[in-house]
Amino acid sequence: MKHILSFLLLAATFFACTQEKPMAGNPVFPGWYADPEGIIFDNQYWIYATYSAPYEQQVFMDAFSSSDLVNWTKHERIIDTTSVTWVKRALWAPAIIQKGGLYYLFFGGNDIQSDDEYGGIGVAVADKPQGPFKDHLGKPLIDKFYHGAQPIDQFVFQDKNGSYYMYYGGWGHCNVAKLNQDFTGFEPLPNGEMFMEVTPEGYTEGPFMFIRDGKYYFMWSEGAWTGPDYCASYAIADSPFGPFNRIEKILQSDPAIGTGAGHHSVIHVPETGKYYIVYHRHPLNDPDGNHRVTCIDEMHFDENGFIKPVIITNEGVQAHSLK
């Protein structure tokens, strides 16, 4: 009997050790969501996303939190046009950062097509990551076209020296600007400009930046957001101001999985080599451009620090707890 119990215990241990962890699956949560900003706050993964719908219906944002990348909690209407009254339509492309115990949510509003229209990039603030977020300024932070960049698709990046930079822009142009300390405006850049163009080859929209091994990895989306050619590429630079010379495409459609993979962000799990790319894509055989879903897959680097092409999957990523 003793030998049988020992065998059963050994078998159970072997079985447990050889089983794969639960997988998140893609999309990671139900619903039409795009332009996902993935980040870690207080031992929780967070994703902030555009509600992907016709612009007149795109008037709020939801957020999602998880302790393990697999099980997600939905936080509804963390911001909407009742709290940002200057936005009438097309509330989109969230970017978020924590500073001084507060959470600042940056967004695009109204999809302006010229300097004669009212809208652009705004900022809201809350004391919790799930909001509710309230308008920080009562007006747009950027409401004009500079260097041809439509004021949309902002990403806020904290540099090693503590400075905060905003990368933004649509219509094939990308600018960088230095935010002031209370996120109410901008300060001059080292070259004296308030807005400096840093557009890399192939750029359409959706910039993102992170630092790895002292290098600045700058990423962006290419192609038409409603189409199957939407994808993401990257550059590596020694400075937050570039130059950003395009290296290669690293996120794109797979005809067996999904199309239009792009407008992504990156989550790095602190003190590990784990990098996750959070992105949206279109389901197969679905012609509606607003039908976009949020997905997560792993991102890997080669021995020289270059990003390997991402393999997009239906399985997603394994559970990974932050605790």
Side-chain angles (χ1 to χ4, degrees), residues 301-318:
F301 301 81
D302 69 16
E303 63 276 10
N304 296 311
F306 294 111
I307 301 174
K308 296 180 179 181
V310 175
I311 299 172
I312 68 172
T313 68
N314 289 323
E315 295 78 19
V317 297
Q318 290 184 334

Side-chain angles (χ1 to χ4, degrees), residues 16 51 104 158 174 205 207 215 238 250 271 295 298 300:
Y51 171 61
Y104 294 88
Q158 185 178 14
C174 183
E205 59 192 14
K215 298 289 187 179
D238 295 320
I250 52 94
E271 300 178 5
C295 303
E298 281 207 61
H300 301 280

Side-chain angles (χ1 to χ4, degrees), residues 34-320:
D35 314 327
E37 169 95 339
I39 196 166
I40 294 173
F41 292 135
D42 301 324
N43 282 325
Q44 289 275 310
Y45 299 99
W46 286 83
I47 294 178
Y48 298 79
T50 300
Y51 171 61
S52 190
Y55 286 164
E56 283 65 33
Q57 301 171 31
Q58 196 172 283
V59 292
F60 66 90
M61 289 181 185
D62 296 330
F64 301 82
S65 62
S66 173
S67 62
D68 60 4
L69 292 173
V70 173
N71 302 289
W72 293 88
T73 298
K74 182 178 180 180
H75 306 273
E76 295 187 347
R77 290 184 174 263
I78 61 167
I79 189 172
D80 60 30
T81 52
T82 64
S83 57
V84 187
T85 56
W86 57 267
V87 177
K88 306 301 181 185
R89 62 196 288 272
L91 181 68
W92 61 359
I96 191 164
I97 199 158
Q98 183 182 20
K99 182 177 187 289
L102 296 174
Y103 299 84
Y104 294 88
L105 181 69
F106 298 81
F107 55 87
N110 294 344
D111 187 34
I112 63 172
Q113 303 295 300
S114 73
D115 287 346
D116 297 326
E117 298 179 42
Y118 191 60
I121 294 171
V123 57
V125 63
D127 58 7
K128 296 177 291 188
Q130 66 268 35
F133 287 86
K134 302 298 181 183
D135 196 351
H136 189 42
L137 300 177
K139 62 180 181 178
L141 182 64
I142 304 177
D143 62 355
K144 297 289 187 292
F145 285 66
Y146 299 101
H147 306 298
Q150 185 188 24
I152 63 167
D153 285 10
Q154 65 297 316
F155 172 69
V156 176
F157 164 76
Q158 185 178 14
D159 199 5
K160 293 176 288 188
N161 64 5
S163 297
Y164 291 88
Y165 296 106
M166 176 183 286
Y167 298 85
Y168 77 92
W171 291 12
H173 294 275
C174 183
N175 293 335
V176 62
K178 182 181 180 182
L179 285 153
N180 62 16
Q181 288 302 302
D182 58 5
F183 299 157
T184 59
F186 299 94
E187 300 175 355
L189 293 163
N191 67 355
E193 291 187 81
M194 297 299 288
F195 301 95
M196 183 175 77
E197 184 167 10
V198 291
T199 308
E201 176 191 357
Y203 178 92
T204 298
E205 59 192 14
F208 188 85
M209 172 79 81
F210 67 95
I211 298 176
R212 182 178 183 269
D213 293 340
K215 298 289 187 179
Y216 293 83
Y217 286 72
F218 185 61
M219 314 175 84
W220 63 91
S221 292
E222 303 178 353
W225 68 270
T226 56
D229 63 333
Y230 202 56
C231 59
S233 295
Y234 82 107
I236 301 175
D238 295 320
S239 158
F241 313 115
F244 300 119
N245 297 314
R246 185 183 188 275
I247 295 175
E248 67 174 333
K249 185 187 302 182
I250 52 94
L251 180 70
Q252 61 184 315
S253 300
D254 182 329
I257 302 293
T259 64
H263 202 128
H264 70 288
S265 56
V266 173
I267 296 175
H268 174 222
V269 180
E271 300 178 5
T272 76
K274 287 282 189 184
Y275 285 80
Y276 299 103
I277 189 163
V278 188
Y279 63 97
H280 73 238
R281 69 191 190 206
H282 299 279
L284 293 176
N285 305 314
D286 190 333
D288 191 326
N290 285 306
H291 286 178
R292 296 174 289 176
V293 294
T294 291
C295 303
I296 303 177
D297 281 299
E298 281 207 61
M299 190 172 76
H300 301 280
F301 301 81
D302 69 16
E303 63 276 10
N304 296 311
F306 294 111
I307 301 174
K308 296 180 179 181
V310 175
I311 299 172
I312 68 172
T313 68
N314 289 323
E315 295 78 19
V317 297
Q318 290 184 334
H320 190 281

